[in-house]
Amino acid sequence: QIFLEEVRIYNIQPCPMTQKMEKSMKRIAKFHKVSKEQFIIDFKDSFPKYDEAAINDIYASIKLPKRATIGSAGYDFYTPIDFILKPHETIKIPTGIRVSINDGWVLAIFPRSGLGFKYRLQLNNTVGIIDSDYFNSDNEGHIFIKITNDSNEDKTVELKAGQGFGQGIFLQYGIVEDDNTTDERNGGFGSTTK
């Protein structure tokens, strides 16, 4: 009986490690959905065969990125649609997500580890980098994830809407002492390439 009471007491108290991690984590960003109008434009560009009623339903079902556990570094990005990706096929997914990020931080996008390990699923740009000023770009900072099934084992990736396929990790960065950049972003993806 004493042992059972001790277990009951232990189970209702917060884990010290959890409390320590919660206090030490910096809260530096917030995920949002892009507007329905922006999502429709971008989704039709990737998937022109969908009608507007279907796209409205897809928009309504979009889930904001979320960590799987308190120890997870990555925020899972969920596919808004079912898709099948055969070896060497590519798909560009408009996630419906944008993110506001504090200055001095960046969001790095990677494939989900398990999908990369099992299927060699890769991002076409290797690592997606979402800068803090992308939020205010002319496409509302809409995050796209373009992936390729790079399987050399003839494996097909099949995911249902709502399953995680990418993950985003917030990283802090610095600048050089003599940095004198004054340009501001005014476009969407790739707009800073010169």
Side-chain angles (χ1 to χ4, degrees):
Q1 170 128 22
I2 293 170
F3 174 75
L4 288 174
E5 286 298 316
E6 287 174 353
V7 169
R8 204 171 294 128
I9 290 168
Y10 175 76
N11 282 338
I12 62 169
Q13 293 178 357
C15 171
M17 183 63 166
T18 301
Q19 289 177 326
K20 185 177 180 182
M21 286 178 69
E22 286 276 326
K23 288 179 182 175
S24 66
M25 292 289 114
K26 294 180 179 177
R27 298 185 184 266
I28 49 82
K30 183 175 172 117
F31 289 109
H32 311 264
K33 285 170 73 169
V34 297
S35 70
K36 187 190 292 186
E37 295 74 21
Q38 186 66 50
F39 184 73
I40 290 169
I41 291 166
D42 293 337
F43 194 87
K44 281 183 175 178
D45 182 59
S46 291
F47 304 104
K49 292 182 179 176
Y50 281 78
D51 64 33
E52 200 156 315
I55 299 172
N56 282 328
D57 290 342
I58 292 165
Y59 179 80
S61 70
I62 290 171
K63 300 190 310 188
L64 294 179
K66 184 178 176 185
R67 293 188 305 150
T69 69
I70 194 155
S72 298
Y75 282 82
D76 292 337
F77 279 75
Y78 308 101
T79 174
I81 56 166
D82 299 349
F83 69 85
I84 295 172
L85 211 52
K86 294 177 182 173
H88 312 295
E89 287 185 341
T90 296
I91 190 169
K92 181 178 77 173
I93 305 283
T95 64
I97 303 299
R98 63 195 297 229
V99 62
S100 54
I101 309 171
N102 288 357
D103 290 341
W105 291 81
V106 67
L107 177 63
I109 307 281
F110 305 92
R112 288 279 308 273
S113 322
L115 294 175
F117 186 80
K118 291 177 191 172
Y119 302 102
R120 287 186 58 156
L121 194 69
Q122 298 184 15
L123 266 64
N124 283 36
N125 55 347
T126 312
V127 177
I129 298 296
I130 311 299
D131 299 307
S132 61
D133 61 353
Y134 183 56
F135 185 76
N136 296 314
S137 65
D138 57 9
N139 71 346
E140 298 184 13
H142 193 174
I143 297 171
F144 294 81
I145 299 180
K146 189 173 185 180
I147 53 173
T148 296
N149 177 357
D150 197 29
S151 175
N152 57 6
E153 300 171 339
D154 205 33
K155 293 181 177 179
T156 297
V157 179
E158 187 170 353
L159 291 179
K160 299 289 185 191
Q163 283 188 275
F165 74 110
Q167 60 180 328
I169 299 174
F170 292 98
L171 304 172
Q172 196 167 20
Y173 68 92
I175 57 175
V176 297
E177 291 177 7
D178 58 350
D179 185 283
N180 60 0
T181 304
T182 57
D183 290 349
E184 294 183 11
R185 180 190 299 273
N186 60 10
F189 178 77
S191 64
T192 58
T193 305
K194 294 184 178 178

